Amino acid sequence: MRRVKLAILHMLPQTWLSRQSGKWAASRWSRRAIPWFIRRYGVNLEEAEKYWQEYRSLADFFCRRLKPGMRPVCPDERTVVSPVDGKVSQMGTASAGRLIQAKGINYSLEQLLGDAEQARRFTGGEFITIYLSPRDYHRIHAPLAGRVTGYAYWPGRLYPVNDLGVRGVPNLFARNERLITYMNTDVGQVAVIKVGAMMVGSVRVGYAEINRRKRAKLISVTEGPYLEKGDELGFFEFGSTVILLYEPGAIRWKPGIETGTRLKMGEELAEKII
């Protein structure tokens, strides 16, 4: 059955389906699906800044903001915080330029970033992959203070990032559409990678308009914004996965952070090594 599902998955017009679902979710007609979505995924309405009836569309509800104070950011200057709500799907060290996708499945750091120089920079450093489920808060924040110095958008497939996709599609995260933000911080360069997936409308960021019709190499941002830890970086219009990359010797993970850990944005994730 798994092989049949994967065969169907490969044959589907993923990009077309995802773009069409994104258009529908942004339409006013999709408002009618919000109560079903809340029940289906158990969304916590107590955290949302508005009543669900005030959202213009399902997409508007999906990328909702939260009430002030719902996600306090750890103030300790030595800490790195989670940039999103989600669950740790994998973490570890990018040994020999390889990252873990699932048990027994690795993929290339160079393929993920699309840039050999950047891949060398992060080889030997720590990485973490965080999966955002449909019920989660879907805005993405800075894991630590720093200036945005560049970005790269790589078009690709839109395989689902659920268990079927992660365990059945080799090089999934390096094949899917992704938007990479580079930040210069006091522990070196940090890459915040937003990975698209099936039925994901798109990823938005505040520092640039992304042209999704062009294949982009690394684009330097000479006057990129300086973000404090916890400042908003962007958001998923429908959710997916965030991967963080750090240079060697930059951080150590907080005890208790491991595969399967549930995270809230702003919670302590790691400690800087300075």
Side-chain angles (χ1 to χ4, degrees), residues 104-115:
I105 305 173
N106 297 333
Y107 64 104
S108 164
L109 182 57
E110 183 174 344
Q111 288 178 325
L112 176 68
L113 298 176
D115 186 292

Side-chain angles (χ1 to χ4, degrees), residues 228-247:
E228 296 292 347
K229 182 170 60 176
D231 282 354
E232 187 174 305
L233 184 61
F235 59 89
F236 284 113
E237 290 189 330
F238 266 79
S240 183
T241 294
V242 168
I243 302 171
L244 300 178
L245 302 177
Y246 298 91
E247 293 188 48

Side-chain angles (χ1 to χ4, degrees), residues 15-194:
T15 300
W16 183 84
L17 284 173
S18 297
R19 298 298 181 242
Q20 294 307 309
S21 66
K23 289 179 182 178
W24 175 80
S27 73
R28 62 189 180 92
W29 303 106
S30 68
R31 289 183 73 251
R32 300 178 182 181
I34 294 176
W36 169 86
F37 187 90
I38 292 168
R39 293 192 302 271
R40 173 68 177 81
Y41 294 107
V43 177
N44 184 357
L45 295 179
E46 295 298 318
E47 295 183 336
E49 68 172 355
K50 299 188 293 186
Y51 295 112
W52 73 261
Q53 296 91 337
E54 298 179 65
Y55 292 94
R56 302 185 305 272
S57 65
L58 179 59
D60 188 32
F61 175 74
F62 193 89
C63 59
R64 63 195 174 278
R65 296 181 186 277
L66 302 181
K67 294 174 184 175
M70 285 290 102
R71 293 294 182 273
V73 177
C74 180
D76 190 334
E77 293 184 358
R78 298 169 298 176
T79 66
V80 177
V81 301
S82 175
V84 293
D85 286 11
K87 183 174 75 172
V88 178
S89 58
Q90 293 294 336
M91 60 186 297
T93 303
S95 302
R98 307 290 297 180
L99 305 179
I100 302 168
Q101 178 171 308
K103 186 176 181 180
I105 305 173
N106 297 333
Y107 64 104
S108 164
L109 182 57
E110 183 174 344
Q111 288 178 325
L112 176 68
L113 298 176
D115 186 292
E117 182 177 348
Q118 291 295 330
R120 286 192 291 271
R121 178 191 298 274
F122 294 106
T123 295
E126 299 301 306
F127 79 91
I128 191 167
T129 304
I130 307 171
Y131 168 71
L132 288 73
S133 72
R135 67 172 294 174
D136 286 324
Y137 167 62
H138 276 83
R139 290 187 176 260
I140 306 159
H141 298 254
L144 68 175
R147 187 172 299 281
V148 174
T149 58
Y151 67 92
Y153 167 72
W154 297 106
R157 300 295 297 271
L158 289 169
Y159 289 107
V161 292
N162 57 16
D163 183 68
L164 178 67
V166 169
R167 296 184 180 279
V169 180
N171 300 316
L172 172 69
F173 298 122
R175 295 171 71 176
N176 271 18
E177 180 180 76
R178 56 210 181 276
L179 174 59
I180 305 164
T181 300
Y182 293 98
M183 295 179 63
N184 188 29
T185 76
D186 59 1
V187 291
Q189 286 286 312
V190 175
V192 183
I193 304 164
K194 286 74 68 182

